[in-house]
């Protein structure tokens, strides 16, 4: 799955023929040879290209990408995975709330609230489940403050 998501990026950076070669080796069933081709390709990629790929991957793919070889593992930190998770959450919330997204974010920040639960899990795993619930954690004190008549949100 990771390779299928990486293939378009390879085309962007002018290494499309390598991506096609890798994908064709995958379909041939020669797993050991396929693995060696991937490692050789990753070891020869420019650091700027690796950083660009890193910035475009969703959390689960970023985690799996970090596991491909020692060079990539040193490049990708837990902070990168956290950033990728936050970016994916923001991307999905933006798609849901559209022009109201910035207002929704402001309310979350002003009330010390956090999006939690299965929505976050879906973002990390790159999945879309049938449930469309977004759970929000909010302290009782903050909830009372939000609905105080003197408070304007």
């Amino acid at each position: 799955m990771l390779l299928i998501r990486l293939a378009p990026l390879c085309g962007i950076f002018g290494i499309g023929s390598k991506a096609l070669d890798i994908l064709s080796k995958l379909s041939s069933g020669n797993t050991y040879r396929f693995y060696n081709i991937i490692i050789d390709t990753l070891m020869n990629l420019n650091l700027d290209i690796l950083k660009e790929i890193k910035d475009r991957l969703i959390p689960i793919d970023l985690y799996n990408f970090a596991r491909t070889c020692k060079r990539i593992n040193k490049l990708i930190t837990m902070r990168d995975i956290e950033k990728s998770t936050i970016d994916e959450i923001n991307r999905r919330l933006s798609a849901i709330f559209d022009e109201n997204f910035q207002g929704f974010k402001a309310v979350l920040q002003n009330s010390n609230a956090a999006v939690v639960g299965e929505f976050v899990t879906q973002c990390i795993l790159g999945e879309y489940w049938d449930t469309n619930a977004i759970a929000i954690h909010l302290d009782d004190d903050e909830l009372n403050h939000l609905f105080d008549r003197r408070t304007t949100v």
Side-chain angles (χ1 to χ4, degrees), residues 38-53:
I38 291 173
I39 297 303
D40 289 344
T41 303
L42 291 174
M43 295 305 285
N44 293 321
L45 284 178
N46 182 315
L47 190 58
D48 293 334
I49 292 173
L50 289 174
K51 286 181 181 179
E52 189 67 31
I53 290 172

Side-chain angles (χ1 to χ4, degrees), residues 84-112:
S84 176
T85 301
I86 291 168
D87 290 347
E88 182 65 11
I89 289 169
N90 284 335
R91 187 187 66 73
R92 290 187 187 199
L93 287 175
S94 178
I96 292 168
F97 288 101
D98 202 23
E99 69 273 353
N100 297 322
F101 173 63
Q102 291 304 324
F104 176 75
K105 249 176 97 169
V107 169
L108 282 179
Q109 290 172 347
N110 292 338
S111 60
N112 294 323

Side-chain angles (χ1 to χ4, degrees), residues 29-95:
N30 190 346
T31 308
Y32 180 75
R33 173 93 174 110
F34 170 70
Y35 177 78
N36 286 336
I37 290 170
I38 291 173
I39 297 303
D40 289 344
T41 303
L42 291 174
M43 295 305 285
N44 293 321
L45 284 178
N46 182 315
L47 190 58
D48 293 334
I49 292 173
L50 289 174
K51 286 181 181 179
E52 189 67 31
I53 290 172
K54 175 183 79 166
D55 291 341
R56 294 176 184 245
L57 292 176
I58 62 172
I60 189 68
D61 289 341
L62 191 57
Y63 172 78
N64 288 331
F65 190 44
R67 297 178 57 206
T68 57
C69 67
K70 288 180 183 179
R71 179 179 182 213
I72 305 298
N73 193 308
K74 289 179 183 176
L75 176 70
I76 297 172
T77 65
M78 190 61 189
R79 179 66 192 128
D80 294 322
I81 295 173
E82 289 171 6
K83 181 186 177 306
S84 176
T85 301
I86 291 168
D87 290 347
E88 182 65 11
I89 289 169
N90 284 335
R91 187 187 66 73
R92 290 187 187 199
L93 287 175
S94 178

Side-chain angles (χ1 to χ4, degrees), residues 1-14:
M1 185 61 99
L2 173 63
L3 272 182
I4 292 170
R5 291 185 182 143
L6 282 178
L9 291 174
C10 293
I12 290 170
F13 297 112

